[in-house]
Amino acid sequence: MSGDAAPSIARRLASMLYEFLLLFAIGFLATWLFQFAAGTLAIEGWRRHLLQLFMLAVYASYFLWCWLRGGQTLAMKTWRIRLVAKEGHRALAPKAALLRFVCALFLVPTAIGIFWAMVDRDRQFLHDRLAGSLLIPAP
C-alpha cells in the first residue's frame, strides 16, 4: 500500500455498526413509504418480492451516491474513513463502486471480508480487493 495505512479494523467495525443503525432507519422509512404506496400493510406474495427489490435499490442508491459523491457515508465521515480507488487514491469510478456494493452484499453478512482483512497484507476487506478500492484515514 502506498503511504497510507488502513484504518484499524476496530475503527472500521465501529463504522459498520453505525452504518447498520443508519441502514435500519433508512430501511424503516423506505418500507413505510412502500406500504403507503402499495395501499396496504400486508406485504405478501409478489408485493414482498417487489419490496425486496425496492429495498435493494434504496440501499444501493444510498451507498453509491455517498461513495461517488465524496467517498464517505455518514458513518464513514463520523469515523474518518474515506473510500478511494486503489490506483492513484482518486475518486472511485461508478463501475468499481457498484462492484464493491455487490461484493459487500454477499461478503459482509458472512464476515468473510472482515476475516480477510486480518490476514491481508494491507488490512483491506475482501470486497475492496475485488473492486480495486481502498479504505484510508480521512483528514
Side-chain angles (χ1 to χ4, degrees), residues 59-77:
Y59 290 141
S61 298
Y62 166 74
F63 281 111
L64 295 175
W65 185 75
C66 290
W67 292 340
L68 295 174
R69 190 171 158 267
Q72 295 176 295
T73 62
L74 180 58
M76 293 167 80
K77 284 180 184 179

